[in-house]
Amino acid sequence: MEKKPFVTKEQLDEITKEYKTPFYLYDEKGIRENAKAVKEAFSWNQGFKEFFAVKATPNPFLIQILREYGCGCDCSSLTELMLSDAIGITGEDIMFSSNATPAEEFQFARKINATINLDDITHIEFLEKNGGLPEVISCRYNPGGVFKMSNGIMDNPGDAKYGFTKEQLFEGFRILKEKGVKRFGLHSFLASNTVTNEYYPKLAKILFETAVELKEKLGICLSFINLSGGVGIPYTPDQEPNDIRRIGEEVRKVYEEILTPAGLSDVAIYTEMGRFMMGPYGCLVTKAIHEKHTHKEYIGCDACAVNLMRPAMYGAYHHITVSGKEDAPCDHKYDITGSLCENNDKFAIDRMLPKIDIGDYLIIHDTGAHGFSMGYNYNGKLKSAELLLQEDGTVRMIRRAEEPKDYFATFDFCDILKDMKQQEK
Ligand SMILES: *Cc1c(COP(=O)(O)O)cnc(C)c1O
């Protein structure tokens, strides 16, 4: 399938009059249509809720859009909890799915009454001492082994640091029940970025069967089952996108096959998608500022791995469109690089693209999730602004770009940089 940007060259010419590149641009229309489709796909389940994985795109403006479709937040750190709390998402609309959790984070989660999803059996005692056990709690299950799907996609839960083993899970629920916990949830995340409609239904089967066993062995009727994240997006043009309506329908079938006959027909289904909710609806816009002809052909642009780390970190593919040259032949082979003193700072290697001229805008696709948020500050490079392309075609800034003062802010306890302060004045 051809990948088309959601923004045109003409629009970019307008936007760059006000905002300089690089910047992230998000597509409000796409976000809304997708969030609506997710909601409808699971509308058969009364208690359904998507808890958006905040770490994917921790921007309060974007989370507020998702909120209109009933989404809550899935948090894994103190600042993510604070962000959610600050925009009025509280109590059971927050899922706290963390691991190696510091004591003060459990305490804060308890204070704002977030639902806690425990990562380990030892965390029962740890939470009891740091914040106290709540009335409702969830446990994260890791069945171990290898998780395979029919199209060859697999992941390796046995190697993953997360979750309780099966034995620990049953023991953990027994202890929690004994200690007075009233309502229970079950969570599992077994494969990442699955571009297949098979993942959720297959995961659901494992979790639903475990739920039936929990009822039989411990008399615990789960209140919710959390399918977590992992629903993927097609980063490459040859991949077929997931069909969320079909996924919802397949999960319903498994529900009616396993849970309903076991008398578990009011279990709420939760999800914690990040990538699927936001990934395709964000792009990184950068400008070609240098060309270099040495042993290879290079285009140097004004974004770098600080703005988007996935290619450097995972060798991840991100499709690139040269804005305004959508229909030009891809007859030039380039490495598209950033400016870090680090040779893996390349957005694409040996990529066939139309001839790029200095000043061209490069649109790096599918960066709406785990893009901006993974950024760092190596080489003292600063993070870009985030902009929202609204449904009426206007653009709104939803995060300003970092400035040098932000980079130096952590020296504000002393005056070692006082000369710089004087320069600012
Ligand atoms: C990262 C994460 C998610 C979201 O994963 P996606 O691949 O973006 O859907 C959900 N839940 C937990 C616990 C996570 O760590």
Side-chain angles (χ1 to χ4, degrees), residues 37-231:
V38 168
K39 189 178 169 182
E40 285 168 6
F42 288 91
S43 59
W44 55 267
N45 182 260
Q46 266 241 312
F48 174 75
K49 190 178 270 292
E50 149 71 6
F51 295 81
F52 176 65
V54 173
K55 73 167 191 274
T57 324
N59 188 303
F61 292 91
L62 299 178
I63 295 171
Q64 260 162 349
I65 296 175
L66 296 180
R67 189 88 182 123
E68 291 178 40
Y69 301 85
C71 297
C73 282
D74 163 41
C75 301
S76 50
S77 68
L78 179 65
T79 47
E80 289 178 2
L81 287 170
M82 289 169 72
L83 188 149
S84 307
D85 184 48
I87 56 174
I89 299 176
T90 51
E92 291 190 20
D93 279 354
I94 301 184
M95 186 64 61
F96 187 46
S97 289
S98 63
N99 68 93
T101 313
E104 64 270 23
E105 302 200 0
F106 271 142
Q107 280 156 356
F108 188 77
R110 288 291 291 119
K111 196 176 122 197
I112 63 172
N113 243 328
T115 301
I116 292 172
N117 180 35
L118 292 177
D119 182 65
D120 189 61
I121 191 162
T122 62
H123 295 183
I124 297 173
E125 207 184 320
F126 190 80
L127 176 60
E128 206 174 13
K129 287 190 183 132
N130 299 288
L133 289 178
E135 277 203 359
V136 49
I137 205 155
S138 168
C139 293
R140 181 168 186 165
Y141 176 36
N142 181 340
V146 174
F147 187 84
K148 283 196 190 111
M149 281 159 287
S150 59
N151 65 353
I153 292 184
M154 59 164 105
D155 222 316
N156 207 341
D159 263 353
K161 65 173 176 171
Y162 311 106
F164 296 54
T165 65
K166 184 156 188 187
E167 211 180 4
Q168 290 171 340
L169 187 75
F170 281 72
E171 178 63 5
F173 276 120
R174 190 191 62 74
I175 295 168
L176 288 164
K177 188 180 175 197
E178 200 177 274
K179 288 185 183 289
V181 172
K182 299 274 185 300
R183 287 157 54 220
F184 301 88
L186 180 64
H187 169 284
S188 195
F189 190 156
L190 299 185
S192 201
N193 192 29
T194 56
V195 191
T196 158
N197 294 327
E198 218 182 298
Y199 171 62
Y200 262 4
K202 202 164 171 191
L203 171 68
K205 183 163 188 286
I206 295 172
L207 293 179
F208 294 172
E209 282 168 355
T210 310
V212 174
E213 226 179 304
L214 279 167
K215 186 182 175 198
E216 285 165 358
K217 295 204 174 127
L218 299 174
I220 287 176
C221 293
L222 293 179
S223 299
F224 60 87
I225 291 177
N226 186 344
L227 302 176
S228 191
V231 178

Side-chain angles (χ1 to χ4, degrees), residues 12-21 23 387 395 397:
L12 284 180
D13 283 335
E14 274 309 303
I15 297 169
T16 51
K17 280 180 192 161
E18 198 169 344
Y19 303 100
K20 65 182 194 100
T21 55
F23 52 76
L387 309 174
V395 163
M397 182 167 75

